[in-house]
Amino acid sequence: MIVNDPAVVAEVRTAFERYEKALVGNDIPVLDELFWEADETVRFGAFEELFGRDEIRAFRQARPARGLDRTLRRTEIVTFDDTFAVVSTTFTREGVPGVGRQSQAWVRLPEGWRVVGAHVSQRKPVD
């Protein structure tokens, strides 16, 4: 097994950066494209548990398009061969205390790199 082949890490980083741009810009078609089109896809958010592409799409359609800007603090990408990757990032949002955390599992499918599982949470500030 090859871990963190630089070419594969670069591919995943490009896909993640495209996702990030779509997220803060509320580009729903690109967000939908970058998530696996399957009932098995899971996205756990700060306040929701979404199972399958239909629930994820419905959430995105209903979510307010404001307040999505964020500043990434640290992003780590780990790839395994050229088919699987985990992207973990921390972020802050203006006016929101604490640190946001996001983990995504990416798989290379015939149509390209796709998120098959994601988890977003918010950690309160430490006193």
Side-chain angles (χ1 to χ4, degrees):
M1 176 182 304
I2 299 173
V3 175
N4 282 351
D5 177 297
V8 178
V9 171
E11 289 176 15
V12 174
R13 185 173 304 281
T14 297
F16 173 75
E17 288 172 351
R18 186 168 177 239
Y19 172 86
E20 184 66 20
K21 181 179 178 183
L23 178 69
V24 299
N26 201 39
D27 188 339
I28 295 171
V30 171
L31 293 172
D32 286 345
E33 173 194 330
L34 291 175
F35 266 67
W36 184 32
E37 290 278 330
D39 292 335
E40 295 83 2
T41 305
V42 176
R43 181 191 176 279
F44 291 156
F47 304 103
E48 67 280 340
E49 295 85 31
L50 307 171
F51 293 88
R53 64 180 170 233
D54 294 338
E55 289 182 16
I56 295 168
R57 274 197 188 116
F59 167 78
R60 287 207 176 103
Q61 293 291 332
R63 179 181 65 178
R66 295 182 307 165
L68 300 175
D69 289 336
R70 64 188 192 170
T71 300
L72 298 184
R73 293 175 46 165
R74 182 173 179 177
T75 301
E76 296 290 332
I77 298 172
V78 180
T79 64
F80 301 88
D81 290 330
D82 64 351
T83 57
F84 184 77
V86 175
V87 180
S88 303
T89 193
T90 57
F91 60 90
T92 56
R93 285 201 161 101
E94 189 173 324
V96 178
V99 175
R101 302 173 292 187
Q102 175 181 295
S103 298
Q104 297 172 324
W106 291 76
V107 173
R108 183 196 302 268
L109 299 171
E111 59 272 20
W113 286 98
R114 298 296 184 262
V115 176
V116 299
H119 191 167
V120 181
S121 62
Q122 186 76 23
R123 180 176 51 81
K124 294 183 179 182
V126 177
D127 292 332

